[in-house]
Amino acid sequence: MADHLEASVTLPSDPASVSAARTYVVGTLAEWGLSADTDVSDTVRLIVSELATNVVQHTLGQSPTFTVDLALDRDEHLWIGVTDSHPRFPKRLPAAVQQDNGRGMVIIRWLAAEYGGRLTVRPTREGGKTVCVELPWRTGPEPASAAPRAPRRDARG
Protein backbone atom coordinates (compact mmCIF):
# COMPACT_ATOMS: atom_id res chain seq x y z
CA MET A 1 0.00 0.00 0.00
CA ALA A 2 1.10 3.60 -0.49
CA ASP A 3 2.96 5.45 2.25
CA HIS A 4 0.18 8.00 2.53
CA LEU A 5 -3.49 7.95 1.51
CA GLU A 6 -6.02 10.73 1.94
CA ALA A 7 -9.74 11.10 1.39
CA SER A 8 -12.15 13.93 2.11
CA VAL A 9 -15.82 14.75 1.77
CA THR A 10 -17.71 17.97 2.52
CA LEU A 11 -21.34 17.66 3.51
CA PRO A 12 -24.13 20.06 4.51
CA SER A 13 -24.71 20.48 8.25
CA ASP A 14 -27.93 18.52 8.04
CA PRO A 15 -29.07 15.43 9.97
CA ALA A 16 -29.04 13.30 6.79
CA SER A 17 -25.31 14.04 6.43
CA VAL A 18 -24.49 12.01 9.55
CA SER A 19 -25.42 8.81 7.73
CA ALA A 20 -23.66 9.99 4.57
CA ALA A 21 -20.46 10.63 6.56
CA ARG A 22 -20.57 7.14 8.08
CA THR A 23 -21.15 5.52 4.69
CA TYR A 24 -18.33 7.51 3.09
CA VAL A 25 -15.83 6.61 5.82
CA VAL A 26 -16.69 2.89 5.88
CA GLY A 27 -16.43 2.73 2.07
CA THR A 28 -13.09 4.52 2.07
CA LEU A 29 -11.68 2.29 4.79
CA ALA A 30 -12.82 -0.78 2.86
CA GLU A 31 -10.91 0.52 -0.19
CA TRP A 32 -7.87 0.86 2.08
CA GLY A 33 -8.16 -2.74 3.28
CA LEU A 34 -10.24 -2.55 6.46
CA SER A 35 -13.25 -4.86 6.31
CA ALA A 36 -16.55 -3.26 7.30
CA ASP A 37 -17.34 -6.11 9.70
CA THR A 38 -14.49 -5.51 12.20
CA ASP A 39 -14.60 -3.91 15.63
CA VAL A 40 -12.21 -1.21 14.42
CA SER A 41 -14.51 -0.33 11.52
CA ASP A 42 -17.46 -0.18 13.92
CA THR A 43 -15.45 2.08 16.22
CA VAL A 44 -14.47 4.44 13.41
CA ARG A 45 -18.09 4.50 12.22
CA LEU A 46 -19.25 5.46 15.74
CA ILE A 47 -16.56 8.14 16.10
CA VAL A 48 -17.51 9.74 12.78
CA SER A 49 -21.19 9.50 13.65
CA GLU A 50 -20.65 11.28 16.99
CA LEU A 51 -18.45 13.97 15.44
CA ALA A 52 -20.87 14.64 12.57
CA THR A 53 -23.81 14.70 14.97
CA ASN A 54 -21.98 17.25 17.13
CA VAL A 55 -21.56 19.54 14.12
CA VAL A 56 -25.20 19.23 13.12
CA GLN A 57 -26.54 19.75 16.64
CA HIS A 58 -24.11 22.20 18.21
CA THR A 59 -22.99 24.67 15.54
CA LEU A 60 -26.43 26.24 15.62
CA GLY A 61 -26.53 26.85 11.89
CA GLN A 62 -23.26 28.82 11.99
CA SER A 63 -21.43 26.11 10.03
CA PRO A 64 -23.36 25.42 6.84
CA THR A 65 -21.05 22.51 5.97
CA PHE A 66 -18.54 20.20 7.61
CA THR A 67 -15.67 18.21 6.18
CA VAL A 68 -14.60 14.69 7.07
CA ASP A 69 -10.93 14.02 6.31
CA LEU A 70 -9.17 10.68 6.50
CA ALA A 71 -5.45 10.06 6.24
CA LEU A 72 -3.53 6.82 6.48
CA ASP A 73 0.22 7.06 7.08
CA ARG A 74 2.56 4.16 6.31
CA ASP A 75 -0.06 1.56 7.23
CA GLU A 76 0.47 2.58 10.86
CA HIS A 77 -1.82 5.46 11.80
CA LEU A 78 -5.33 6.41 10.75
CA TRP A 79 -6.20 10.06 11.20
CA ILE A 80 -9.87 11.13 11.25
CA GLY A 81 -10.70 14.83 11.26
CA VAL A 82 -14.06 16.57 11.24
CA THR A 83 -13.86 20.29 10.52
CA ASP A 84 -16.58 22.90 10.85
CA SER A 85 -16.59 26.69 10.71
CA HIS A 86 -18.07 27.33 14.16
CA PRO A 87 -15.50 28.90 16.51
CA ARG A 88 -16.66 27.27 19.75
CA PHE A 89 -14.69 24.22 20.83
CA PRO A 90 -16.59 21.21 22.16
CA LYS A 91 -16.86 21.00 25.91
CA ARG A 92 -17.89 18.40 28.41
CA LEU A 93 -21.25 19.19 29.95
CA PRO A 94 -21.91 18.83 33.69
CA ALA A 95 -23.24 15.41 34.70
CA ALA A 96 -26.71 16.78 35.53
CA VAL A 97 -27.09 18.09 31.98
CA GLN A 98 -25.93 14.83 30.42
CA GLN A 99 -29.22 13.02 30.80
CA ASP A 100 -30.19 13.04 27.12
CA ASN A 101 -27.08 14.38 25.40
CA GLY A 102 -23.63 15.79 26.03
CA ARG A 103 -21.74 12.52 26.13
CA GLY A 104 -20.43 12.52 22.55
CA MET A 105 -16.94 13.80 23.29
CA VAL A 106 -16.65 11.50 26.29
CA ILE A 107 -17.58 8.54 24.09
CA ILE A 108 -15.13 9.60 21.38
CA ARG A 109 -12.28 10.13 23.85
CA TRP A 110 -12.95 6.73 25.45
CA LEU A 111 -13.09 4.94 22.09
CA ALA A 112 -9.85 6.56 20.95
CA ALA A 113 -8.10 5.55 24.17
CA GLU A 114 -9.53 2.03 23.99
CA TYR A 115 -7.83 1.54 20.63
CA GLY A 116 -4.56 3.17 21.67
CA GLY A 117 -5.32 6.48 19.98
CA ARG A 118 -5.93 10.03 21.02
CA LEU A 119 -8.36 12.90 20.53
CA THR A 120 -7.32 16.49 19.89
CA VAL A 121 -9.10 19.68 18.89
CA ARG A 122 -7.35 22.43 17.00
CA PRO A 123 -8.46 25.75 15.54
CA THR A 124 -8.53 26.34 11.80
CA ARG A 125 -7.11 29.44 10.12
CA GLU A 126 -10.63 30.36 9.08
CA GLY A 127 -11.86 30.53 12.68
CA GLY A 128 -13.48 27.11 12.99
CA LYS A 129 -12.09 23.91 14.46
CA THR A 130 -11.05 20.39 13.58
CA VAL A 131 -11.73 17.55 15.98
CA CYS A 132 -9.09 14.90 15.29
CA VAL A 133 -8.85 11.28 16.30
CA GLU A 134 -5.69 9.33 15.59
CA LEU A 135 -5.82 5.55 15.82
CA PRO A 136 -3.31 2.79 15.18
CA TRP A 137 -4.10 1.14 11.84
CA ARG A 138 -4.93 -2.54 11.94
CA THR A 139 -6.14 -4.31 8.83
CA GLY A 140 -5.36 -7.89 9.82
CA PRO A 141 -7.11 -10.09 12.35
CA GLU A 142 -7.85 -8.26 15.55
CA PRO A 143 -5.56 -9.21 18.41
CA ALA A 144 -6.97 -11.46 21.09
CA SER A 145 -7.43 -9.83 24.45
CA ALA A 146 -4.59 -10.48 26.89
CA ALA A 147 -7.08 -11.42 29.59
CA PRO A 148 -10.13 -13.53 28.80
CA ARG A 149 -13.42 -11.77 29.29
CA ALA A 150 -15.70 -12.98 32.00
CA PRO A 151 -18.85 -14.67 30.70
CA ARG A 152 -21.98 -12.57 30.81
CA ARG A 153 -24.58 -13.39 33.37
CA ASP A 154 -28.21 -12.74 32.94
CA ALA A 155 -30.44 -11.19 35.61
CA ARG A 156 -31.12 -14.63 37.17
CA GLY A 157 -27.53 -14.88 38.29
Side-chain angles (χ1 to χ4, degrees):
M1 186 176 284
D3 279 348
H4 185 80
L5 296 171
E6 291 185 359
S8 181
V9 64
T10 299
L11 300 164
S13 293
D14 179 84
S17 293
V18 175
S19 175
R22 283 192 305 260
T23 300
Y24 176 79
V25 167
V26 170
T28 300
L29 295 180
E31 289 176 15
W32 293 353
L34 182 65
S35 175
D37 61 355
T38 64
D39 285 345
V40 173
S41 183
D42 288 344
T43 297
V44 172
R45 184 181 306 129
L46 180 55
I47 287 170
V48 168
S49 184
E50 289 292 334
L51 292 174
T53 298
N54 282 353
V55 172
V56 171
Q57 289 184 347
H58 299 297
T59 63
L60 308 170
Q62 294 181 25
S63 182
T65 63
F66 66 96
T67 301
V68 179
D69 293 298
L70 299 170
L72 178 59
D73 287 320
R74 295 183 187 85
D75 284 346
E76 294 177 7
H77 299 281
L78 174 66
W79 183 85
I80 306 156
V82 175
T83 303
D84 66 66
S85 59
H86 193 281
R88 186 181 50 179
F89 275 39
K91 59 184 174 184
R92 185 179 298 177
L93 298 175
V97 178
Q98 294 183 357
Q99 297 304 312
D100 292 325
N101 59 31
R103 293 180 291 270
M105 293 303 289
V106 173
I107 291 168
I108 295 164
R109 190 177 308 278
W110 182 85
L111 288 169
E114 180 76 10
Y115 278 86
R118 63 189 178 111
L119 168 84
T120 57
V121 182
R122 64 177 192 234
T124 64
R125 283 181 244 181
E126 298 78 23
K129 67 191 163 296
T130 300
V131 181
C132 312
V133 176
E134 185 178 339
L135 300 173
W137 177 253
R138 300 180 190 123
T139 59
E142 294 182 10
S145 173
R149 293 184 181 189
R152 292 185 182 194
R153 293 188 171 172
D154 62 19
R156 295 180 301 239

